[in-house]
Amino acid sequence: MTTSAAATTPAKRATLYRMVMPGHVCPYGLKARWLLKHKGYEVEDRWLTSRAETDAFKAAHDVKTTPQIFIDGQRIGGHDDLRRFLGLKVADPAATSYRPVLAVFAVGALLALATSWLIAAPLIGVATVERFIAITMMLLAMLKLQDVERFATMFLNYDLLARRYIPYGRAYPFLELGAGLLMLTGMLHWLSIPVALFIGGIGAVSVFKAVYIEKRELKCACVGGGSNVPLGFVSLTENLMMVSMALWMLFTI
């Protein structure tokens, strides 16, 4: 009975129009094809193999982009429209998210554990926490260094010192990277401790003032100038980690 019912169930069919040219294959077309097949659709995959053919298709269907998906003769739209049609989430590029900084913290923790493992040190202990903070500082600095000017501009929204002395915003990623590297290697405590205390202290005060006193809603520059991480707890944690690490080293060396 089950087999008979399956045999009489009409197949789900979709038609996909996507660009497949010698120098370009539309990535969203590939994603749409995979999604349709993953959801059990038989896909009639129609290629638009030239710019002229693509422009003619857009004009004929009064659309501005490809790919375009049709199901049961009804135009669904592009890749994001297909996801909505299937009841799937569509990412909002303007939405705030903690995912980038959480990924940094997670990778920092894994690298700290891996380092402890490689040198046969206890996985759980003060030394691993120290390595985690130092490595995380370096990872965060690396993200800022991808576009120093963009970071420095975003940093001006809330950092008290950067507003008074513009070059500080450009120097900050290098200071953070250098302090993290010295802390990781245990070298030049006389330099790494003051730098971490200085930039972490100013950063903590700046974030606290902007978010918790002035109640401003800003994006955090902590993972670079192009992020949608909201300014607040995460950035405050970054700065307090630097201050805590510096104070710990100051009283234990």
Side-chain angles (χ1 to χ4, degrees):
M1 184 173 181
T2 304
T3 304
S4 177
T8 58
T9 301
K12 297 190 295 182
R13 291 185 173 86
T15 303
L16 169 65
Y17 293 86
R18 63 188 181 97
M19 286 193 293
V20 180
M21 301 180 188
H24 174 69
V25 176
C26 176
Y28 288 98
L30 292 171
K31 291 174 69 173
R33 185 183 65 174
W34 182 90
L35 186 55
L36 285 165
K37 290 185 176 182
H38 183 68
K39 292 296 182 178
Y41 284 85
E42 293 182 5
V43 181
E44 184 180 351
D45 191 8
R46 298 190 178 182
W47 293 3
L48 303 171
T49 58
S50 67
R51 178 57 58 185
E53 189 177 358
T54 301
D55 291 342
F57 171 83
K58 291 177 181 178
H61 294 276
D62 193 24
V63 296
K64 295 182 179 180
T65 61
T66 59
Q68 290 292 321
I69 299 98
F70 293 77
I71 296 177
D72 296 329
Q74 175 187 354
R75 187 176 70 84
I76 302 302
H79 173 262
D80 287 353
D81 298 309
L82 175 62
R83 290 188 63 87
R84 295 187 187 96
F85 176 81
L86 296 173
L88 301 175
K89 183 179 179 180
V90 176
D92 179 2
T96 57
S97 172
Y98 288 103
R99 184 177 298 175
V101 75
L102 291 176
V104 170
F105 285 176
V107 172
L110 290 172
L111 288 172
L113 289 169
T115 303
S116 296
W117 175 271
L118 288 172
I119 62 175
L123 293 182
I124 306 301
V126 173
T128 300
V129 175
E130 292 175 348
R131 294 184 191 100
F132 162 69
I133 294 175
I135 290 171
T136 300
M137 288 171 60
M138 296 174 66
L139 292 175
L140 289 169
M142 177 194 69
L143 294 175
K144 297 176 179 71
L145 288 168
Q146 291 181 101
D147 191 337
V148 174
E149 195 62 36
R150 191 173 184 183
F151 159 77
T153 301
M154 196 171 181
F155 201 44
L156 288 172
N157 285 320
Y158 57 89
D159 190 82
L160 297 174
L161 180 55
R163 287 182 166 190
R164 290 179 174 271
Y165 185 64
I166 299 298
Y168 174 66
R170 301 189 189 98
Y172 184 96
F174 298 95
L175 294 172
E176 185 176 31
L177 178 63
L181 179 61
L182 293 176
M183 288 176 168
L184 183 62
T185 59
M187 297 172 59
L188 305 179
H189 292 313
W190 60 269
L191 178 60
S192 63
I193 292 174
V195 168
L197 279 174
F198 182 77
I199 65 176
I202 292 174
V205 171
S206 299
V207 173
F208 188 84
K209 180 177 183 292
V211 176
Y212 299 103
I213 295 178
E214 298 175 349
K215 307 295 183 182
R216 298 167 65 198
E217 294 185 1
L218 299 169
K219 292 179 181 178
C220 179
C222 51
V223 289
S227 75
N228 287 328
V229 176
L231 182 68
F233 175 76
V234 172
S235 185
L236 188 60
T237 299
E238 174 192 6
N239 289 292
L240 290 178
M241 281 197 317
M242 282 191 278
V243 172
S244 300
M245 180 73 164
L247 290 174
W248 171 259
M249 294 176 67
L250 183 63
F251 291 107
T252 56
I253 59 175

